[in-house]
Amino acid sequence: MSLGTLYLIPVPLSETADEATFTLFAKQIMHQVDEYIVENAKTARKFLKLAGTPIPQNKLILHDYGKHARQQADKSFFFKGLLAGKDVGLMSEAGCPGIADPGAEIVAEAHRLGVKVVPLVGPSSIVLALMASGFNGQSFAFQGYLPIDKAARNKKLKQLETTVRSLEQTQIFIETPFRNNQLLEEIIRACSPNTRLCIACNLTAPNEWIASMPLSKWKGRDIDLHKKPAIFLMGS
């Protein structure tokens, strides 16, 4: 029996960005596939509705891959459809599945089982921020979340700054939205005024803004990043 295909389906980064997110091919796939592995069933149904899927909501099969489900040892039920020859979609909470996203575990298991994996074109906040930063796009690293402990975070920021200078490698990192303001303050305190920082906030939303400048120019600016999704980039 032939195996199904696992489609990695990007979803909008903001509530108003569906038209700018779904390609014709992605819509075609979502109009055909009725089984999904999702991080959040509620938002997945919303995105499928925005994509105009003709499949009734009560006919959709959604496997919850949220935080609690991921803790279960046996995940084989996620792959029953794929192993039976059905095509299945993988959807993250926002952006591209597998990029700073727990869906990478599903993709890894699909490869182990010999299931074909097809990534669809769509928005990644990390890539969009790098594109707009003006920093080195030939060599870069995504660091994820920095340490919560202030001393450890201060040390990490200095390490990232050293890497930027020695390797000319762009460093990309994020923070929980309600700690964004504190992170910006710590970056300004810990790093050299000449170090360049880019912040990309509310990407793809109507109130999107992106600024890239030396830390000396960030200092003293009245900027409120509280509870706003943001990407931080350090470059040379």
Side-chain angles (χ1 to χ4, degrees), residues 136 139-140 161-171 236:
N136 189 354
S139 178
F140 54 90
E161 185 179 41
T162 298
T163 300
V164 168
R165 291 178 176 174
S166 61
L167 301 180
E168 295 186 1
Q169 183 183 72
T170 302
Q171 301 298 307
S236 57

Side-chain angles (χ1 to χ4, degrees), residues 64-118:
D64 183 0
Y65 192 56
K67 182 178 180 180
H68 298 295
R70 290 197 299 273
Q71 296 173 353
Q72 299 178 18
D74 183 15
K75 300 181 179 63
S76 60
F77 60 91
F78 290 138
F79 298 92
K80 287 183 178 179
L82 287 163
L83 295 178
K86 284 191 67 177
D87 293 339
V88 174
L90 174 64
M91 300 177 74
S92 176
E93 178 68 7
C96 296
I99 304 297
D101 173 74
E105 298 175 14
I106 296 294
V107 177
E109 181 64 11
H111 282 298
R112 191 188 71 80
L113 294 172
V115 170
K116 182 179 180 180
V117 175
V118 176

Side-chain angles (χ1 to χ4, degrees), residues 133-194:
S133 69
F135 296 165
N136 189 354
Q138 298 284 349
S139 178
F140 54 90
F142 176 62
Q143 302 290 341
Y145 292 94
L146 301 188
I148 295 177
D149 178 76
K150 286 188 176 181
R153 184 161 45 191
N154 186 76
K155 180 179 179 181
K156 183 65 174 181
L157 286 169
K158 290 183 180 296
Q159 290 175 346
L160 297 181
E161 185 179 41
T162 298
T163 300
V164 168
R165 291 178 176 174
S166 61
L167 301 180
E168 295 186 1
Q169 183 183 72
T170 302
Q171 301 298 307
I172 309 170
F173 47 97
I174 55 177
E175 180 54 284
T176 302
F178 66 83
R179 288 201 292 260
N180 279 338
N181 286 338
Q182 294 92 320
L183 176 58
L184 177 56
E185 292 171 1
E186 291 179 22
I187 295 172
I188 293 173
R189 283 198 302 266
C191 300
S192 167
N194 295 324

Side-chain angles (χ1 to χ4, degrees), residues 2-21:
S2 60
L3 303 178
T5 296
L6 179 65
Y7 288 99
L8 312 186
I9 303 174
V11 297
L13 296 173
S14 68
E15 292 187 357
T16 58
D18 51 290
E19 287 298 324
T21 299

Side-chain angles (χ1 to χ4, degrees), residues 25-95:
F25 182 61
K27 284 187 175 183
Q28 178 183 333
I29 296 300
M30 286 186 279
H31 287 192
Q32 297 172 352
V33 172
D34 65 0
E35 184 172 351
Y36 295 86
I37 303 169
V38 303
E39 189 177 0
N40 185 302
K42 182 178 179 180
T43 52
R45 289 184 183 279
K46 174 184 174 182
F47 295 142
L48 289 168
K49 185 176 180 180
L50 288 172
T53 178
I55 302 171
Q57 289 283 332
N58 62 355
K59 299 295 184 181
L60 293 171
I61 302 171
L62 270 62
H63 301 293
D64 183 0
Y65 192 56
K67 182 178 180 180
H68 298 295
R70 290 197 299 273
Q71 296 173 353
Q72 299 178 18
D74 183 15
K75 300 181 179 63
S76 60
F77 60 91
F78 290 138
F79 298 92
K80 287 183 178 179
L82 287 163
L83 295 178
K86 284 191 67 177
D87 293 339
V88 174
L90 174 64
M91 300 177 74
S92 176
E93 178 68 7

